[in-house]
Amino acid sequence: MLKSALAGLSGVANALAIAANAAGTVSVLGLVAILNIDVVARGLFNAPLKGTYEIVQLSVVFIVFMQLADVVRVDRLTRSDGFLNLLHNRRPKLTANLRRIINAVSAIFMGLIAYIMFPEFLKMWDTQDYFGVPGVFTAPWWPIKLVIASGCALSSVIFVLKVITAQDRPQLIRIPEHKEPQQ
Amino acid sequence: MSPIEIGLISVIAIIFLIYSGVYIPVALGTVSLISIWLMRDNFTLALNLLKVAVGDSAMEYSFATIPLFTFMGLIVSKAGLGRDIYEVMTMRFRKVKGGIGMATVGANAVFAAVTGSSIASASVFTKVSVPQMMAQDYNPRFAVGVVAGSSVLGMIIPPSAMLIIYSFVAEQSVGDMFLAGVIPGILLAVFYVVAIWFMARFTPGFVGGRTVADTEWMSRREVASKTLPTLGLITVVLGGIYTGWLTAVEAGAAGGLVALVIAIARRSMSLKTFWEALLETGHITAAILFLITAASIYSRMLGMAGLPNQLQDLLVGNEATFWKIMILYVLLMLFLGTLLDTASIILIVVPLFLPLVEAMDMSLIWFGIVTVVGAEIGLLTPPLGISCFVIKSTINDDRISLKDVFMGALPFAFVMLIALFILIEFPILSLALLN
C-alpha cells in the first residue's frame, strides 16, 4: 500500500519534472528567437523590438526554475562526489545514509525557498504588480514568483523521494537519460 | 562569537561540506543562511535575505549569456566543426615531430572560440585526435595529455562560461571579460605548442610518434569548406562584441542561430539531436545559475561578516607584497582545484578577495583572467581533474588508465602555471584589447 503510494507519487513528481523541463527547454528556443528578431529589426529596420529586455529576464528565470527539478531528478546539480564514491566501495551502507542526509538537507533548503516565495506569489497576484517601463512594455511579477516557488517545491519533493528510496536517481519509470554533449 | 569568527567558520564549513559531497549550491545556501541567522540573531531577517537573493539574482539580463553560449557550443560540437578544424590543422603540422600534438592544440584554440566549455572540447578532441595519435605510435600518455591540456583553452578563449561567471561575481561587463580573454588564451596555446616542440626535442621518449611520409594536401576548396563556417561564427560573435554592435547576450543569440544554420546546411542535425541540445542547454543553465544564486547569498553573508575587509586589513596591514598575496591566491585556487570544479572555485574565492584587489588598485578584469586560468589548472590535477575524467570516460580504452591521463596532463598543467605567472606580472596582456 505504502509502496504503491510512493510509486505513484514518484511517478507524478517525475512526470511533472519532465514536463517542466520540456517547457523550460522551449524557453531556450524562444530566447534565441526573440533576441535574433530584435537584432535584425534594430539593425536593418532601426526598429528594436519592444520589451526584449524584460522578456529575456523572464525567460532566464523560466529556464532555471522550470529545469531545476529535472536537474535534481537526474542528479546533475553541481557537486563533488569523489569522496562519496570512494567511501561507497568500503562502507556502502554508511554512504547510502550519508546521501540520505545530504538529500534531506537539500529538501529542507529547497522547501524553505518555496515556502518564502509562495506568499510573494500571492501578494503579486493580488496587487497585479508589474515590472518594465510603463507605456513601453510591462510584464506582471506573479508568473516569476510562481515559477520560482513551484520549481523549488517540486525539487524539494524529488529530494524527499530520494531520501525515502535511498537512491540518487529514484526512477520507477525508466526514462532515457540525456546524454553528455558529444560529437 | 563575533561576526568575523562566524564568517570564518562558515567558509571552512562550506568547504568541508562540499568535500564530503553535499550539493554545492545547497552547502553555500544553507551555511550562509544559518550564519546570517546567528550573526543577526534573527531568523526572519535571514529568510528575507534568502528571498531577495533568489528573487533578484535570477532576474539578471546578462544571465542569458549562459544558455545562449551553451546552446551555441553544443550545436557546434554536434555539427562536427571541431573535427574539420582538426583535419585542416593536422595537414599543416604533419611534417613536424609532435606536429599532430601541436595541431590538436591549434584546433582546440580555434574550436574554443566557438564553444564555452572545456568539457565539450575534451570530449570532442578525445574522439578525433587520440586515436590518430595512437595510430602514429605516439605515447598514449602524451596523446591524452595534449587533449587534456588544450581542452582548458575552451574556458579561457571566449566565449567562455567561466569568464561569464566571473563577470557576475565581480560585476564586470561580460563583453569586456570576453575581449580580455583573447590574448591570454592565444598566449597559452602558443606556450603549449612551444612546450610540445621542446618535449619532442628533448624527451622524445615521452612524446613518441613517427613523422608521416604521405602528405595528402587538401584542395583549397576543401580547406575553405572546413574552416569558413567556424571563422564566420567567430567573426559574428567576437566581431560583434568588439565593434560594440552586439551586446554579449545578443552575440550569444546570433551565434546560436548561425551555428544552427551551419548545422542544418551540413545536414548534421536531426530533430532528435536538436532537442537533446536544447535539453542539455537547459540542464547546464539551471545547474550553473542556481549555483550562482546560492553563491550570491554566500557573498552577502561574507559582506555581513566583514570577512573580505578583514582579509584585506590583514594582508595589507602586514605589508604583504603584491607577489605574496598573488602566490597565496594561486595556492588557494590550486588547493580547491584538487576537488572542486572551476565555477565553484570562482564563486567561493572571488568574493573574499574582491575588496583587497580593489584596495590595491588592480584591474578587476585582469584579476578575472588570473582567477579563471588559476582555477582551470584544477581541471588537470588529481584526484578530481574534471577534464581528465571526461577524457578517460570518452576514450573507453583499457590500455589508458586514469593515471596515464593525469601523468600526461601534468606537463601541461605546469605550462599553465608558468603562463599564469606571466599573466599576473603583465596585466597589459589581459587589458590590451579593451577600449
Side-chain angles (χ1 to χ4, degrees):
Chain A
M1 179 61 196
L2 190 69
K3 243 189 178 162
S4 68
L6 190 64
L9 182 61
S10 155
V12 171
N14 282 339
L16 276 175
I18 293 165
N21 178 36
T25 303
V26 174
S27 313
V28 176
L29 202 56
L31 193 60
V32 175
I34 189 125
L35 278 162
N36 276 296
I37 294 173
D38 179 49
V39 168
V40 171
R42 191 191 61 194
L44 295 187
F45 308 108
N46 206 14
L49 216 57
K50 279 177 187 169
T52 308
Y53 193 88
E54 285 78 12
I55 294 174
V56 169
Q57 284 181 308
L58 258 174
S59 50
V60 173
V61 177
F62 270 64
I63 294 170
V64 175
F65 289 94
M66 290 277 210
Q67 303 267 11
L68 198 56
D70 201 51
V71 171
V72 171
R73 184 181 67 84
V74 298
D75 200 29
R76 287 197 52 180
L77 206 58
T78 324
R79 80 190 308 184
S80 159
D81 55 1
F83 169 73
L84 282 179
N85 290 337
L86 270 179
L87 195 67
H88 182 77
N89 297 332
R90 292 197 198 140
R91 309 278 302 271
K93 270 217 170 127
L94 177 70
T95 317
N97 283 330
L98 253 171
R99 284 182 188 272
R100 272 194 159 132
I101 296 171
I102 291 172
N103 286 328
V105 173
S106 312
I108 295 170
F109 181 65
M110 300 307 278
L112 210 54
I113 299 179
Y115 168 76
I116 51 172
M117 287 314 276
F118 192 70
E120 285 284 293
F121 157 66
L122 290 178
K123 199 171 90 192
M124 293 302 172
W125 176 258
D126 280 342
T127 58
Q128 290 290 322
D129 215 353
Y130 57 83
F131 68 104
V133 187
V136 182
F137 184 91
T138 54
W141 270 111
W142 67 264
I144 293 177
K145 307 293 179 189
L146 180 63
V147 162
I148 297 178
S150 44
C152 291
L154 191 55
S155 308
S156 175
V157 171
I158 291 179
F159 271 128
V160 170
L161 288 171
K162 287 187 179 199
V163 176
I164 300 172
T165 55
Q167 277 171 4
D168 266 343
R169 296 187 177 191
Q171 283 175 310
L172 297 169
I173 317 154
R174 273 266 156 223
I175 303 115
E177 209 56 69
H178 313 308
K179 278 182 237 131
E180 284 295 307
Q182 49 187 228
Q183 186 88 350
Chain B
M1 272 194 293
S2 71
I4 302 260
E5 281 164 346
I6 296 178
L8 204 61
I9 293 170
S10 319
V11 175
I12 295 167
I14 286 169
I15 292 174
F16 173 77
L17 288 178
I18 291 174
Y19 270 47
S20 37
V22 177
Y23 297 96
I24 297 173
V26 174
L28 287 171
T30 325
V31 173
S32 307
L33 188 71
I34 293 173
S35 58
I36 293 174
W37 176 15
L38 289 179
M39 271 188 276
R40 292 292 156 95
D41 199 18
N42 185 341
F43 189 59
T44 323
L45 178 92
L47 274 186
N48 269 329
L49 263 171
L50 179 68
K51 183 171 76 187
V52 172
V54 173
D56 278 6
S57 66
M59 286 291 284
E60 199 76 49
Y61 173 77
S62 50
F63 274 2
T65 43
I66 300 262
L68 292 168
F69 281 112
T70 308
F71 176 70
M72 170 179 146
L74 288 173
I75 297 286
V76 160
S77 312
K78 287 185 204 278
L81 292 191
R83 180 184 298 270
D84 285 357
I85 305 159
Y86 174 75
E87 280 168 5
V88 174
M89 287 278 182
T90 30
M91 185 186 80
R92 297 263 168 237
F93 282 98
R94 196 170 269 183
K95 290 239 162 165
V96 194
K97 177 121 171 91
I100 205 167
M102 298 176 191
T104 307
V105 173
N108 246 310
V110 178
F111 188 62
V114 289
T115 64
S117 143
S118 297
I119 310 301
S121 302
S123 68
V124 166
F125 284 93
T126 308
K127 272 181 232 140
V128 192
S129 168
V130 174
Q132 206 170 348
M133 281 199 259
M134 303 271 276
Q136 290 186 24
D137 294 335
Y138 279 90
N139 184 344
R141 278 192 181 180
F142 173 75
V144 288
V146 168
V147 174
S150 53
S151 73
V152 169
L153 294 170
M155 286 202 189
I156 296 167
I157 296 179
S160 144
M162 295 310 135
L163 292 176
I164 297 176
I165 289 175
Y166 175 84
S167 71
F168 293 153
V169 192
E171 294 178 349
Q172 298 298 307
S173 114
V174 177
D176 281 356
M177 283 312 298
F178 277 7
L179 295 177
V182 174
I183 295 176
I186 296 172
L187 181 84
L188 185 60
V190 171
F191 274 29
Y192 279 159
V193 170
V194 173
I196 292 172
W197 187 85
F198 270 103
M199 284 185 234
R201 182 88 200 241
F202 297 107
T203 56
F206 175 70
V207 176
R210 55 189 159 82
T211 35
V212 184
D214 60 321
T215 38
E216 212 178 279
W217 290 91
M218 291 179 200
S219 67
R220 263 162 197 263
R221 229 189 120 126
E222 209 176 337
V223 171
S225 84
K226 281 181 192 295
T227 50
L228 285 184
T230 310
L231 292 180
L233 206 49
I234 296 175
T235 316
V236 169
V237 174
L238 286 184
I241 295 176
Y242 186 72
T243 54
W245 203 72
L246 297 174
T247 64
V249 172
E250 289 164 346
L257 186 67
V258 173
L260 198 58
V261 169
I262 293 171
I264 291 169
R266 313 172 119 217
R267 295 164 205 281
S268 50
M269 176 75 40
S270 67
L271 213 56
K272 187 164 165 284
T273 51
F274 177 58
W275 182 252
E276 273 173 8
L278 280 176
L279 276 182
E280 186 72 27
T281 307
H283 274 172
I284 294 174
T285 308
I288 293 184
L289 288 187
F290 191 62
L291 181 62
I292 292 178
T293 304
S296 80
I297 309 169
Y298 160 77
S299 66
R300 274 162 212 251
M301 181 275 287
L302 285 184
M304 281 182 139
L307 207 56
N309 289 322
Q310 192 69 17
L311 187 72
Q312 175 197 336
D313 290 349
L314 187 77
L315 289 174
V316 175
N318 277 341
E319 284 173 27
T321 59
F322 170 77
W323 272 103
K324 255 191 208 153
I325 294 173
M326 290 320 288
I327 285 173
L328 185 79
Y329 186 61
V330 171
L331 284 178
L332 184 64
M333 282 194 292
L334 289 182
F335 166 69
L336 292 175
T338 55
L339 269 187
L340 296 193
D341 65 303
T342 315
S344 311
I345 300 175
I346 296 174
L347 292 170
I348 292 174
V349 169
V350 172
L352 274 173
F353 279 80
L354 275 185
L356 177 66
V357 177
E358 277 175 325
M360 288 175 77
D361 248 350
M362 295 184 282
S363 152
L364 283 178
I365 294 193
W366 160 85
F367 188 67
I369 300 295
V370 169
T371 306
V372 171
V373 175
E376 294 265 293
I377 297 178
L379 287 175
L380 303 180
T381 52
L384 207 84
I386 292 156
S387 270
C388 295
F389 273 83
V390 172
I391 290 169
K392 169 66 184 141
S393 65
T394 318
I395 206 164
N396 210 3
D397 182 340
D398 286 336
R399 285 174 298 169
I400 300 176
S401 69
L402 189 59
K403 191 180 163 210
D404 287 326
V405 185
F406 278 125
M407 290 309 286
L410 214 54
F412 293 94
F414 186 67
V415 173
M416 260 185 106
L417 199 60
I418 296 173
L420 177 60
F421 285 127
I422 291 175
L423 290 173
I424 293 176
E425 179 63 33
F426 301 105
I428 186 71
L429 290 169
S430 314
L431 304 174
L433 280 185
L434 298 175
N435 309 326

